[in-house]
């Protein structure tokens, strides 16, 4: 009965219809599309070449040939600076006069790279790429020196770089932003649309004075109403993991059944949480307004983008009472790292404890109003 | 006219102060949210991340590199592992974020002039810590390799200067400008605060007109404004703009100084840019409020429009990395030009002229939205007058 009542209630309310039926799908494709290229490429920089030699031109060509950096202009120092200040390029490389001459006469030379570090991602990518090109050119110079000294190619290749780093990023081989962020973003969309819709709906019921649990067994009332959301958002979760993951070229490395268990627990803990939040408000309008401001703060303290260990202690506590914190850990482990649920048992117990906690406080709140 | 305008402004201030959907959003949430954001990144940089060592060499060289790795800011050696499977398992259990592998016979190979690779494993599913570990670990390993080369060249009798030149013929001096220490608090908090501000202004502005119709108070307002939509919108805009100044003071006078985020000399430029953002947001909100008479629907539309502003603006992921249609959508939000201007005026501390393209775009937002809002409201007011005369 309550399930049918909920269907009718949502169908009649334009706002709930929009939040619960349209927003999750729209947001998933909308936000997902931003990162569909997964990584940034061709970050524009300017180059000031005062050397005008074969070596400097080779260096510029090598930089431009990288996937990450695009040499937007080879110009003079003043124009390069101005271009960065206007935001047209993210930095500039300054190659001094006499670079090739110095290198050929076995003297160290220096290049200067200025990057706009006000934006993190482009500046760190430019720095990494140009450092790598500089190291490669250096290795080439050593190779030529050793060969001139009479060493054969094989021996000189071994001498060029005796100890070199070999980078192996695990679970996201290209270390790209999209592969990292998109799964978490989809989980966040699932949570926020559920909370916005459910809490908003409950607040609207309270506003109208027709609460769903009047003269009923409270627990049955809670899960009778919650069943609609459990079914609906389980369908969304399945849709995200199949259609959205397919469209966005994301992989599920772990066991789908284990992910199903974790997702079900997540939704089960969100439902009493959402009803509890809704009961705190007398107006649907205010509830929706305030819930809208919770999205970014919640996402930032879940440990997904910023390590949870680096949070102040008070925020660790806040993070710990959010079901999405243990869920994201389980979800990220299963989806992106192929982990088993048994690898993250503390998070599983944490999520179960939050389910019980929110059920308890929700029932207490319902009892108060009943 | 001035008297009517003043009356409308005063009336709107009263509404802001007495209505929870106005004052909670505009005056109560901002201090809580802004402190919250600043507090998240109070540590400013991620440090001492757990890293494992997989040492198959057990040599003085591997121990020396391990020691150097421990000296870096991001790496904290927490355990030893003995295989790739074990280190992957430890990552899956979230015990470590990275690992460094020294191959068997490393020292011997170095001495016998065989190149060796020291492998850096990172959990790239956790992108931020993974990149930090890679950056520090690769610097240590490249430095160690350069040291080996230096010794070799000097053993042949080469002078140190020449040997150094061979090791790094082209050295690179990097100047990371405007945030040289890559401080997360300095980078993220001003952006998060300003995006919250635009959201707050829009989320209340979408209620400015339609609530009057809903609560049947528009007729009284219309009479006060002598049936002028322009006067109603101007009076209400003044009230909301001046209320937004409270949050500007909170941001630049309280949060920025407390968390050392102030950029001296940028205050007035910022104030100008902030006013343009606030006016653009009020304009968009009022336009939605005039067009959508259903209050909740207008709120949902406002929410849908404003909430993606942070990611679409290119703050964390550059706009040129997005598909063209997302770049187009980003250009439809006032936060995008505001952020570009904010970078120039606040982070880069440039003169106002550098932000003129962004200022022009914000002015276009303001002109367009207010024109539409006044136009449609006037039509509606005129209709209501006709209806009142001939019911």
């Amino acid at each position: 009965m309550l399930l049918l009542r909920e269907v009718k209630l949502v169908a009649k309310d334009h706002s709930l219809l929009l939040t619960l039926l349209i927003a999750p799908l729209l947001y998933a494709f909308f936000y997902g599309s931003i990162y569909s290229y997964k990584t940034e490429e061709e970050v524009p920089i300017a180059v000031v070449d005062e050397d005008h030699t074969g070596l400097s031109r080779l260096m510029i060509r090598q930089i431009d040939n990288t996937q990450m950096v695009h040499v937007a202009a080879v110009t003079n120092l003043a124009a390069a600076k101005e271009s960065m200040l206007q935001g047209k390029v993210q930095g500039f490389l300054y190659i001094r006069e006499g670079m090739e001459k110095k290198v050929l006469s076995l003297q160290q030379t220096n290049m200067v790279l200025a990057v706009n570090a006000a934006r993190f991602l482009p500046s760190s990518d430019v720095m990494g790429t140009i450092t790598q090109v500089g190291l490669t050119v250096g290795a080439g110079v050593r190779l030529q020196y050793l060969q001139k000294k009479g060493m054969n190619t094989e021996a000189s290749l071994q001498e060029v770089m005796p100890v070199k780093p070999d980078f192996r990023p695990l679970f996201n081989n290209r270390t790209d932003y999209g592969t990292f962020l998109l799964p978490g973003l989809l989980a966040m969309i699932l949570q926020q649309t559920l909370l916005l819709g459910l809490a908003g709906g409950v607040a609207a019921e309270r506003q109208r004075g027709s609460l769903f649990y009047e003269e009923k067994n409270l627990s049955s009332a809670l899960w009778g109403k919650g069943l609609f959301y459990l079914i609906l958002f389980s369908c969304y979760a399945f849709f995200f993991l199949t259609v959205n993951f397919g469209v966005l070229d994301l992989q599920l490395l772990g066991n789908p059944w284990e992910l199903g268990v974790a997702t079900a627990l997540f939704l089960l803990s969100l439902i009493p949480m959402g009803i509890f939040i809704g009961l705190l408000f007398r107006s649907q309008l205010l509830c929706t307004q305030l819930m809208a401001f919770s999205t970014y703060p919640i996402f930032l303290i879940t440990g997904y983008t910023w390590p949870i260990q680096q949070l102040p202690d008070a925020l660790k506590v806040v993070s710990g009472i959010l079901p999405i914190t243990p869920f994201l850990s389980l979800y990220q482990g299963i989806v992106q790292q192929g982990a088993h649920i048994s690898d993250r048992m503390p998070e599983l117990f944490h999520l179960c404890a939050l389910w019980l906690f929110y059920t308890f406080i929700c029932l207490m709140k319902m009892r108060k109003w009943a | 006219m001035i008297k009517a305008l003043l009356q409308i402004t005063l009336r709107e201030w009263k509404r802001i102060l007495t209505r929870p959907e106005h004052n909670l959003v505009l005056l109560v949430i901002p201090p809580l949210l802004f402190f919250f954001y600043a507090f998240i990144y109070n540590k400013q940089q991620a440090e001492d991340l757990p890293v494992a060592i997989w040492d198959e060499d057990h040599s003085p060289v591997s121990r020396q590199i391990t020691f150097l790795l421990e000296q870096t800011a991001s790496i904290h050696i927490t355990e030893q592992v003995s295989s790739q499977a074990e280190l992957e398992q430890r990552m899956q259990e979230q015990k470590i974020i990275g690992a460094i592998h020294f191959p068997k016979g490393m020292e011997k190979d170095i001495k016998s002039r065989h190149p060796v690779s020291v492998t850096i494993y990172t959990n790239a599913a956790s992108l931020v810590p993974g990149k930090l570990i890679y950056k520090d670990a690769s610097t240590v390993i490249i430095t160690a390799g350069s040291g080996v080369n230096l010794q070799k060249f000097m053993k042949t009798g080469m002078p140190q200067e020449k040997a150094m030149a061979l090791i790094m013929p082209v050295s690179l001096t990097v100047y990371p400008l405007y945030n040289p220490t890559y401080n997360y608090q300095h980078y993220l908090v001003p952006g998060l605060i300003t995006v919250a501000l635009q959201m707050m202004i829009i989320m209340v502005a979408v209620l400015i007109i339609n609530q009057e119709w809903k609560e049947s108070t528009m007729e009284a307002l219309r009479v006060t404004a002598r049936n002028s939509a322009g006067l109603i919108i101007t009076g209400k805009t003044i009230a909301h703009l001046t209320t937004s100044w409270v949050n500007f003071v909170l941001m630049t006078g309280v949060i920025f100084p407390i968390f050392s985020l102030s950029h001296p000399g940028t205050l007035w430029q910022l104030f100008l840019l902030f006013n343009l953002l606030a006016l653009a947001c009020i304009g968009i909100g009022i336009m939605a409020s005039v067009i959508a008479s259903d209050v909740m629907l207008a709120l949902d539309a406002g929410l849908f429009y404003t909430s993606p502003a942070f990611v679409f603006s290119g703050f964390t992921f550059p706009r040129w990395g997005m598909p063209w249609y997302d770049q187009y959508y980003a250009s439809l939000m006032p936060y995008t030009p505001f952020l570009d201007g904010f970078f120039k005026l606040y982070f880069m501390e440039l003169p106002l002229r550098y932000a003129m393209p962004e200022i022009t775009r914000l002015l276009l937002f303001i002109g367009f939205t207010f024109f539409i809002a006044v136009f449609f409201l006037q039509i509606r007011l005129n209709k209501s007058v006709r209806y009142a005369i001939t019911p």
Side-chain angles (χ1 to χ4, degrees):
Chain A
M1 289 296 286
L2 270 167
L3 177 75
L4 289 175
R5 180 184 177 277
E6 201 61 29
V7 174
K8 283 179 192 162
L9 194 116
V10 171
K12 271 194 275 180
D13 190 321
H14 287 154
S15 174
L16 292 182
L17 212 58
L18 199 70
T19 310
L20 291 167
L21 297 183
I22 298 171
L25 299 175
L26 209 59
Y27 273 137
F29 284 105
F30 195 50
Y31 276 104
S33 68
I34 298 176
Y35 308 103
S36 53
Y37 295 160
K38 303 284 175 58
T39 184
E40 61 164 346
E41 288 177 1
E42 304 287 316
V43 181
I45 65 155
V47 175
V48 181
D49 181 8
E50 287 188 351
D51 195 36
H52 303 292
T53 57
L55 183 62
S56 69
R57 281 191 288 272
L58 173 74
M59 185 86 85
I60 295 165
R61 210 165 43 245
Q62 284 201 347
I63 291 168
D64 200 28
N65 285 344
T66 62
Q67 199 176 348
M68 193 58 76
V69 179
H70 164 57
V71 177
V74 181
T75 180
N76 59 48
L77 191 57
K81 274 184 191 168
E82 187 63 20
S83 201
M84 188 176 75
L85 297 182
Q86 287 179 359
K88 289 176 184 164
V89 296
Q90 295 301 310
F92 62 88
L93 180 70
Y94 177 52
I95 301 172
R96 287 197 178 94
E97 190 180 351
M99 180 176 79
E100 188 182 68
K101 200 175 155 191
K102 275 193 169 180
V103 169
L104 291 177
S105 59
L106 286 183
Q107 289 176 349
Q108 196 176 46
T109 182
N110 180 258
M111 297 189 299
V112 175
L113 174 68
V115 286
N116 182 352
R119 292 178 198 257
F120 272 22
L121 201 62
S123 63
S124 69
D125 283 339
V126 167
M127 271 196 317
T129 304
I130 294 183
T131 305
Q132 202 57 47
V133 171
L135 288 171
T136 310
V137 169
V141 171
R142 279 197 297 283
L143 187 73
Q144 281 189 357
Y145 172 81
L146 293 170
Q147 284 177 338
K148 275 182 189 165
K149 287 278 166 189
M151 203 177 268
N152 66 36
T153 310
E154 198 186 339
S156 52
L157 274 170
Q158 289 186 349
E159 282 282 299
V160 164
M161 227 172 169
V163 183
K164 62 177 179 185
D166 173 20
F167 182 40
R168 294 196 197 169
L170 300 173
F171 314 122
N172 174 6
N173 297 340
R174 289 173 57 205
T175 56
D176 64 62
Y177 201 71
T179 306
F180 150 70
L181 196 69
L182 279 167
L185 206 60
L186 292 173
M188 195 65 200
I189 290 168
L190 203 65
Q191 166 177 288
Q192 285 309 101
T193 46
L194 170 55
L195 286 182
L196 262 168
L198 183 51
V202 171
E205 282 193 64
R206 200 182 148 192
Q207 197 175 350
R208 286 194 300 267
S210 61
L211 275 165
F212 62 95
Y213 50 79
E214 282 167 354
E215 297 171 25
K216 284 194 176 72
N217 175 302
L218 291 183
S219 185
S220 311
L222 168 64
W223 294 112
K225 184 183 179 76
L227 190 61
F228 169 74
Y229 296 92
L230 184 65
I231 294 169
L232 183 66
F233 278 80
S234 296
C235 293
Y236 284 144
F238 182 72
F239 186 80
F240 287 178
L241 287 164
T242 48
V243 178
N244 289 87
F245 267 47
V247 169
L248 298 167
D249 196 22
L250 298 170
Q251 283 183 310
L252 164 60
L253 297 178
N255 185 322
W257 293 105
E258 291 184 5
L259 184 63
V261 171
T263 308
L265 275 172
F266 177 52
L267 295 177
L268 285 170
S269 57
L270 284 180
I271 288 165
M273 183 186 178
I275 293 175
F276 175 76
I277 292 170
L279 287 172
L280 297 174
F281 292 93
R282 286 192 190 130
S283 133
Q284 184 184 11
L285 183 73
L286 195 60
C287 179
T288 306
Q289 273 183 324
L290 298 191
M291 284 304 294
F293 291 105
S294 66
T295 310
Y296 284 116
I298 289 178
F299 192 53
L300 295 173
I301 60 167
T302 55
Y304 199 84
T305 54
W306 181 252
I308 227 162
Q309 300 81 1
Q310 311 286 327
L311 289 175
D313 290 339
L315 291 188
K316 280 182 194 160
V317 175
V318 179
S319 172
I321 60 169
L322 300 170
I324 197 163
T325 302
F327 172 68
L328 273 183
S329 176
L330 279 166
Y331 171 85
Q332 198 182 25
I334 297 167
V335 171
Q336 293 178 303
Q337 298 175 46
H340 289 287
I341 219 165
S342 55
D343 292 325
R344 300 197 177 181
M345 290 309 279
E347 283 80 6
L348 188 71
F349 292 135
H350 186 173
L351 196 53
C352 291
L354 286 175
W355 175 23
L356 295 176
F357 169 71
Y358 282 109
T359 304
F360 177 74
I361 61 166
C362 182
L363 288 172
M364 288 294 105
K365 192 79 185 163
M366 286 164 69
R367 186 186 299 276
K368 189 183 161 193
W369 285 104
Chain B
M1 196 176 98
I2 300 288
K3 193 183 163 194
L5 189 67
L6 199 65
Q7 279 177 330
I8 294 165
T9 306
L10 279 171
R11 181 180 176 278
E12 192 63 23
W13 270 330
K14 271 187 204 160
R15 285 171 69 89
I16 290 170
L17 291 173
T18 53
R19 288 162 179 269
E21 67 271 16
H22 284 45
N23 58 43
L24 275 179
V25 176
L26 293 177
L27 301 168
V28 177
I29 292 182
L32 300 174
L33 201 61
F34 298 172
F35 273 101
F36 190 89
Y37 282 145
F39 204 40
I40 294 173
Y41 300 101
N42 213 22
K43 212 169 171 184
Q44 304 184 344
Q45 280 161 323
E47 290 174 349
D48 290 332
L49 301 161
V51 171
I53 292 291
W54 173 17
D55 187 357
E56 290 190 298
D57 195 40
H58 301 289
S59 65
V61 172
S62 67
R63 282 192 289 275
Q64 179 67 17
I65 298 176
T66 304
F67 173 78
L68 292 172
L69 288 166
E70 183 66 86
Q71 304 314 306
T72 62
S74 69
I75 296 172
H76 175 45
I77 311 292
T78 53
E79 57 189 276
Q80 298 275 338
V81 292
S82 52
S83 67
Q84 183 169 337
E86 189 184 348
L87 77 86
E88 282 185 26
Q89 176 68 27
R90 299 299 281 165
M91 277 186 195
Q92 285 170 337
E93 291 168 1
Q94 291 188 303
K95 302 291 181 200
I96 55 169
I97 298 175
I100 314 292
H101 175 224
F102 301 116
K104 199 173 181 181
M106 179 177 75
E107 187 175 13
K108 200 174 137 205
D109 282 344
I110 289 171
K111 284 179 178 164
S112 59
R113 303 192 161 188
H114 283 110
V116 292
S117 293
V118 176
T119 311
I120 305 164
Y121 294 93
T122 62
N123 180 355
S126 298
L127 200 69
V128 173
K131 277 194 167 186
L132 284 172
I133 290 169
Y134 167 65
K135 184 171 154 275
D136 280 348
S138 60
T139 305
V140 167
I141 292 159
I142 288 167
T143 309
S146 302
V148 170
N149 258 337
L150 186 74
Q151 282 181 355
K152 272 184 199 169
F153 287 130
M154 286 177 71
K155 271 184 190 168
T156 63
M158 190 184 279
Q160 189 178 358
E161 197 181 328
K162 202 171 169 184
M164 281 297 288
L166 257 185
I167 287 158
M168 198 161 281
V170 186
S171 69
L172 185 69
T173 307
V174 183
Y175 292 106
L177 304 171
Y178 316 119
N179 189 355
T181 56
Y182 281 85
N183 182 319
Y184 273 82
Q185 195 179 46
H186 286 206
Y187 165 54
L188 280 173
V189 176
L192 288 166
I193 287 177
T194 48
V195 84
L197 275 173
Q198 66 90 33
M199 199 168 165
M200 284 159 184
I201 297 168
I202 291 181
M203 294 286 273
V204 174
V206 292
L207 311 174
I208 287 177
I209 301 294
N210 50 23
Q211 260 198 336
E212 300 272 7
W213 292 111
K214 190 185 171 189
E215 293 168 7
S216 307
T217 51
M218 184 53 98
E219 185 54 24
L221 182 62
R222 190 187 67 76
V223 172
T224 312
R226 297 170 201 166
N227 200 43
S228 164
L231 217 55
I232 291 175
I233 287 176
T234 309
K236 281 176 173 275
T237 299
I238 291 171
H240 282 266
L241 181 67
T242 46
T243 308
S244 77
W245 291 349
V246 176
N247 288 324
F248 182 78
V249 172
L250 173 71
M251 175 175 78
T252 55
V254 181
I255 305 285
F256 283 4
I258 288 178
F259 293 96
S260 306
L261 302 172
S262 299
H263 287 233
T266 60
L267 189 69
W268 292 108
Q269 287 101 312
L270 267 191
F271 185 62
L272 175 81
L273 195 67
F274 173 78
N275 274 307
L276 292 175
L277 173 73
L279 281 172
C281 291
I282 294 168
I284 285 164
I286 292 185
M287 186 176 74
S289 191
V290 168
I291 293 168
S293 51
D294 183 330
V295 172
M296 276 309 294
L297 209 61
L299 185 76
D300 287 330
L303 175 63
F304 181 78
Y305 176 73
T306 61
S307 57
F310 190 66
V311 284
F312 275 87
S313 68
F315 194 92
T316 49
F317 187 74
R319 287 204 295 279
W320 62 75
M322 299 175 195
W324 66 268
Y325 44 88
D326 287 324
Q327 293 184 38
Y328 181 74
Y329 184 77
S331 70
L332 297 178
M333 283 188 289
Y335 189 71
T336 305
F338 168 79
L339 185 75
D340 289 345
F342 187 68
F343 267 107
K344 291 174 181 172
L345 300 182
Y346 170 77
F347 284 108
M348 299 164 78
E349 301 178 13
L350 295 174
L352 204 59
R353 67 185 166 89
Y354 282 97
M356 283 320 285
E358 289 79 19
I359 287 173
T360 309
R361 284 172 62 192
L362 283 169
L363 286 170
L364 284 175
F365 266 109
I366 294 165
F368 176 77
T369 53
F370 277 96
F371 173 76
I372 298 285
V374 171
F375 182 75
F376 281 102
L377 182 61
Q378 193 62 61
I379 289 176
R380 210 161 162 198
L381 287 178
N382 292 345
K383 261 188 198 171
S384 73
V385 172
R386 280 203 298 275
Y387 181 76
I389 295 166
T390 53

